[in-house]
Amino acid sequence: MAVSVPAPVLDNPLSKPGPARLRDSHGRVIHDLRVSITDRCNYKCVYCRTGEVGAQYPELAIPEYLRLIRLFVDLGITKVRLTGGEPLLRHGLLDLIRELSQLRTSTGQRLDIALTTNGHLLDSLAAPLRQAGLDRVTVSMDAVEEPVFERITRVPGSYSAVLAGIRAARAAGLLPVKINCVLLRGFNDDQIESFAHFARREDVIVRFIEFMPLEEGRLWTPEIVVPLREIVERIGRVLPLLELPPNDPGETARRYSFADGKGEIGIIAPVTQAFCGACSRVRLTSDGKIRTCLFSQVEHDLYGHMRAGASDEELQQYIVRTINQKEARHHIGEPGFLKPSRSMVHIGG
Ligand code: SAM
C-alpha cells in the first residue's frame, strides 16, 4: 500500500516563544533585507548597463513596500537596505524611511536602515534623509579620477555631483560613509592605489568589489575580475595594511585598517572568496518578487499573493517557505553556470 508522506510543516518564527528569527534550510539566520524601490537609474555605468533603455519592471506603491517590509521585520529581519536602480529617483523615499524608522525589530530594537546610491542627488538629499531616519549610506564610485569616472558613468558632471554627495552625507551624519568600487581589469584597476589615499583624505571606508556576472551585456570573464589577493598586495605596497576582525559573522567585506591606524578599506570578494556559507540576505525586487540569492534562477511573487488578497499571516507563511528554499551557494565560474534572468540594476544591488 502506498503511504503518502505529508508535506513538511514549516514553522512560522512568530509562533515560537522568544524573538522571531528567520532561518533557511542550511541553518543560516536571515536578518538582512535588500529592497529595490525602482529599477530606473540615471547612470549608465559601462559594466552594468548596455546604454539602451531595456526592460523596466513595475514599482509598488510606497505603502505596499512598507507592508511587505513590516512582515519581514516581524519575522526577524533587523536590517533593511534600500537600493535600486537608483533609489534617490524614487518619489516617496523620505516618507518610506520615516515610516521604517518607526518599526521595531522582533527584539524591540530600532531597525537599521541603510541605502545604496550612486550619490548623484545626494548633495541636497543627505540632510533630509538623515532627518527622516536613515542611518547610513553607501555610495558607488568606481574611479577617483574625474575622466575615468565619467567614462564609466557616461554622465557629464557626475564626478563633482558624487563628490559633493559624499561630503554632504558625512556632514549630515550618515556615518560611516562607505564607498563601493567595482573593479574591472583594464577599466579602472589603475585606481586602486589612489582609492587608498582617497579613503584617508575623505574619511570614508572604500570597499572594493569583485565584478560578478550580473551585467546587462556580456563583459564578464574570470580574467576581468581583480581578485582580493591582488588588491591587498597592491595597496600594501603603498600603504601597509592590517586585517581587522569581522564586525559580525555575516559580514561580506574583509576589513583592513592602514598600519598607522588612520582609515579603513574593505574588500568584497564574492568570486574568489565566496561568503555564501555566512549569507544572511534576502532581496525584494521593485516589483515585489523575493530573490533568495543574487544568482537565483527562480523568483517568488510575494506581491502577486498580496494583490490577490492574501492576509498578513498568509504572506508570512509564504516568506518563510520561500526563505527555506534559499540556495546553498552561487556557482560563478563553474561549468554550466547560468546568469540570472535579471541583471544587477533590475535586481537591486
Ligand atoms: N544605483 C545605486 C548605486 O549605484 O549604488 C544602487 C544600485 S547598484 C546596482 C548597487 C551596487 O551594485 C553598486 O555599487 C554597483 O557598482 C554594484 N554592481 C553593479 N553591477 C555589478 C556587478 N556586475 N558586480 C558587482 N557589483 C555590481
Side-chain angles (χ1 to χ4, degrees), residues 4-46:
S4 69
V5 180
V9 179
L10 294 166
D11 290 340
N12 181 333
L14 287 179
S15 65
K16 292 186 176 164
R21 294 184 99 194
L22 269 173
R23 206 180 270 278
D24 72 8
S25 64
H26 308 283
R28 295 170 296 196
V29 174
I30 307 302
H31 55 77
D32 182 348
L33 173 68
R34 306 202 165 195
V35 185
S36 171
I37 54 174
T38 179
D39 67 339
R40 290 172 288 127
C41 190
N42 43 355
Y43 282 5
K44 291 175 281 190
C45 296
V46 288

Side-chain angles (χ1 to χ4, degrees), residues 34 36 38 40-43 45 47-49 82-88 115-119 138-142 179-184 207 209-216 220 268 270-271 283 294-295 343-349:
R34 306 202 165 195
S36 171
T38 179
R40 290 172 288 127
C41 190
N42 43 355
Y43 282 5
C45 296
Y47 63 86
C48 184
R49 307 183 60 199
L82 300 175
T83 181
E86 175 44 44
L88 298 191
L115 177 128
T116 301
T117 171
N118 61 29
T138 298
V139 181
S140 302
M141 189 181 183
D142 302 306
I179 307 295
N180 273 357
C181 168
V182 178
L183 285 174
L184 282 79
R207 298 173 345 148
I209 304 178
E210 290 177 350
F211 181 49
M212 293 178 278
L214 286 167
E215 72 283 23
E216 280 181 342
W220 194 90
I268 302 175
V271 181
R283 289 179 158 78
L294 271 175
F295 296 94
S343 58
M344 190 67 135
V345 67
H346 301 296
I347 294 174

Side-chain angles (χ1 to χ4, degrees), residues 68-121:
L68 295 180
I69 295 171
R70 185 179 288 127
L71 296 175
F72 276 96
V73 170
D74 288 345
L75 284 170
I77 290 291
T78 56
K79 174 177 164 188
V80 170
R81 177 172 294 277
L82 300 175
T83 181
E86 175 44 44
L88 298 191
L89 293 178
R90 182 60 207 261
H91 188 68
L93 170 65
L94 293 175
D95 294 334
L96 176 61
I97 293 175
R98 234 173 262 123
E99 295 286 341
L100 290 179
S101 71
Q102 301 305 311
L103 298 187
R104 291 293 170 267
T105 69
S106 55
T107 54
Q109 311 292 309
R110 259 194 90 250
L111 186 65
D112 182 25
I113 313 167
L115 177 128
T116 301
T117 171
N118 61 29
H120 194 77
L121 301 171

